[in-house]
Amino acid sequence: MTSFSSVMDYLHEVNFVSMLVRFAIALLGGGIIGMSRGKRQHAAGLRTHLLVCIGSASVMLTALYQSQNLGVSGDVFRMPAQVVSGVGFLGAGSILVTGKRHVTGLTTAAGLWASACMGLAAGAGFYEGAFMMCVLIYIVLVSLNKLDSTHVKASRVMNVYVELKSGVPLSALLRAVKSMGIQVNDIQDIGSRSAETHGYILELEIMRPELGHVEAAELVTNIEQVEFCEEMKA
């Protein structure tokens, strides 16, 4: 028990061995969360979460090193505090407003922010907290994903991104969608994506009970005037 306590005391100091351990924990935690997001084809995947977690750990270690080894006076937590707010700018890049009421990418942004906090905990030597954060974040993002998917499938409303061939009137798409038993509740004009296509974000309500989100998206994709269609998810 005494030897374990001495080892933990040693690891809570800022030294070469403790830095290796802290970066290893940041790598492990960021890797686990990043892989779970990457499997679902989210923009912020393995590399993004690894970089955020390692960077946060390095900032915390730098702040502690300045205080303990260089005798730098001032607020030790000023640098780590900037990480918590600064990651918000990175998360904002993954958030997209799909209409007047709907936003996608919030889960990815929150995951990046939580990964940054996990990295700060690892960098501070708060090993227990970093481990528990990794487990809880993983449970929320992965294990609860099935529950969230069940809720989404039960919903009859979905958002899709559609690209029409240039010159095709939107009314033609709306008529085709309506004939399939799908109602358009909201339309956002994205503009021309290229010389050949024009983009829209549609909020669709599935009126036919036998149709699910996947089937509805496939029906819209198969419309002659549609070049591309994809359901937008958080």
Side-chain angles (χ1 to χ4, degrees):
M1 189 67 178
T2 305
S3 60
F4 177 78
S5 298
S6 59
V7 170
M8 292 305 297
D9 289 339
Y10 179 73
L11 290 179
H12 281 112
E13 298 175 358
V14 180
N15 52 62
F16 182 75
V17 176
S18 70
M19 285 192 293
L20 287 178
V21 173
R22 296 178 195 195
F23 277 126
I25 292 175
L27 273 171
L28 178 63
I32 291 174
I33 305 305
M35 287 179 65
S36 70
R37 300 304 287 169
K39 286 181 179 179
R40 290 171 175 79
Q41 303 298 316
H42 291 282
L46 176 62
R47 290 177 297 178
T48 304
H49 282 80
L50 282 176
L51 290 173
V52 167
C53 212
I54 294 172
S56 301
S58 66
V59 170
M60 179 61 82
L61 276 169
T62 302
L64 293 175
Y65 180 83
Q66 288 179 335
S67 175
Q68 297 179 17
N69 297 77
L70 302 181
V72 176
S73 59
D75 187 1
V76 180
F77 301 105
R78 180 177 297 175
M79 290 176 61
Q82 299 305 313
V83 171
V84 176
S85 59
V87 171
F89 290 97
L90 182 61
S94 64
I95 298 175
L96 177 66
V97 179
T98 62
K100 295 180 180 179
R101 300 178 300 278
H102 298 282
V103 177
T104 183
L106 284 175
T107 302
T108 299
L112 286 172
W113 184 83
S115 295
C117 295
M118 179 172 58
L120 290 174
F126 186 24
Y127 305 112
E128 302 90 342
F131 175 75
M132 285 188 286
M133 284 186 68
C134 179
V135 173
L136 291 173
I137 295 171
Y138 186 83
I139 290 174
V140 170
L141 292 179
V142 179
S143 299
L144 295 183
N145 183 67
K146 294 181 180 180
L147 179 62
D148 188 52
S149 297
T150 302
H151 172 72
V152 170
K153 288 179 180 178
S155 172
R156 309 306 293 170
V157 178
M158 61 186 294
N159 290 289
V160 295
Y161 170 71
V162 178
E163 289 187 358
L164 289 182
K165 298 176 182 178
S166 293
V168 175
L170 179 61
S171 58
L173 172 65
L174 299 181
R175 284 195 299 270
V177 171
K178 185 177 181 180
S179 66
M180 297 172 177
I182 303 173
Q183 178 177 311
V184 179
N185 292 336
D186 190 41
I187 303 170
Q188 182 179 355
D189 191 337
I190 301 299
S192 298
R193 315 308 293 172
S194 67
E196 293 81 21
T197 61
H198 194 95
Y200 298 93
I201 294 177
L202 307 178
E203 180 188 280
L204 305 179
E205 183 173 353
I206 305 171
M207 310 306 292
R208 292 164 55 187
E210 73 274 13
L211 286 183
H213 287 210
V214 175
E215 293 79 12
E218 288 180 354
L219 286 176
V220 176
T221 302
N222 292 330
I223 296 175
E224 182 181 357
Q225 298 90 343
V226 173
E227 285 289 313
F228 177 79
C229 175
E230 182 180 44
E231 181 178 4
M232 304 184 69
K233 300 179 181 180

